[in-house]
Amino acid sequence: MTTATIEKPARVAMNGVDIPTFVATLGVVGQNPEIAHFTFRASGEWLSGTHSRTSFEGFFGAMGEQKHRQSYAIEGDHPQVLCGADNGVTPVEMLLAALSACLTAGIGNIAAMRQVKLHSVETSIEGDIDLNGILGLDKSVRNGFSGIRATFRIKGEASDEVLEAIVHQSVARSAVFDVLTNGVPVTVAAIAA
């Protein structure tokens, strides 16, 4: 009697994700967990009224200082109905964008690791907020969102159950979802310039 070995086909790059490099990175981090310790940074500046700009140039990760391939910035403001000039999205909209981007990135990575070809992923995220809290008019109302709803429309070469499982795995591994649902200590220091 002979024993035949069945080899699984190698995972290939898919959905824009370089799977061989991703798998190799998992192996390296598994052997040296300190490589996974990152510190991300944002630098903000007030421009006028409720308008500000936040820049992102570098971060610490993979045991050293890193630079983005270019400098990035986002503009934040309040809409005119909230006494702003509407020069950018509101900070709470940025939070919704961060959740959308994190979950969508996770979907792309997880689908690629499972060798599921995606055709499209569309996100709809809404957050409810009662401004009586942030305006100081009702101390019983919280300042932030009272609830957030995320809906994903995902199409790919897999069953609906497999695609839904990919979305749920993305939620389970999402850093932004974790911060929103579990909280994180935040310290604030004011330094006179």
Side-chain angles (χ1 to χ4, degrees), residues 9 13 44 46 64-65 84 87-88 103 114 118 145-146 149 159 169-170 174 177 182 185:
W46 171 74
E65 287 297 322
N87 290 307
L103 291 172
R114 295 182 183 182
L118 295 175
F145 287 126
S146 59
R149 293 169 303 286
S159 69
Q169 182 64 28
S170 178
S174 169
F177 184 87
N182 293 312

Side-chain angles (χ1 to χ4, degrees), residues 3 5 32 50 55 73 78 89 94 96 101 121 125 127-128 153 160:
T3 304
T5 303
N32 189 357
T50 57
S55 302
H78 291 177
V89 297
M94 289 183 210
L96 296 178
V121 179
I125 299 189
D128 302 316
R153 286 181 189 81
D160 290 348

Side-chain angles (χ1 to χ4, degrees), residues 44-55:
E45 82 178 297
W46 171 74
L47 299 174
S48 176
T50 57
H51 185 200
S52 66
R53 178 180 302 118
T54 305
S55 302

Side-chain angles (χ1 to χ4, degrees), residues 25-26 28-40 59-64:
T25 300
L26 291 175
V28 170
V29 173
Q31 296 201 358
N32 189 357
E34 289 185 24
I35 292 174
H37 296 200
F38 278 64
T39 300
F40 290 98
F59 55 93
F60 178 88
M63 301 176 76

Side-chain angles (χ1 to χ4, degrees), residues 55-89:
S55 302
F56 311 87
E57 293 186 18
F59 55 93
F60 178 88
M63 301 176 76
E65 287 297 322
Q66 308 291 329
K67 286 262 187 202
H68 287 290
R69 63 184 170 98
Q70 68 183 48
S71 180
Y72 295 100
I74 50 176
E75 306 267 326
D77 202 351
H78 291 177
Q80 291 176 335
V81 70
L82 293 175
C83 303
D86 207 16
N87 290 307
V89 297

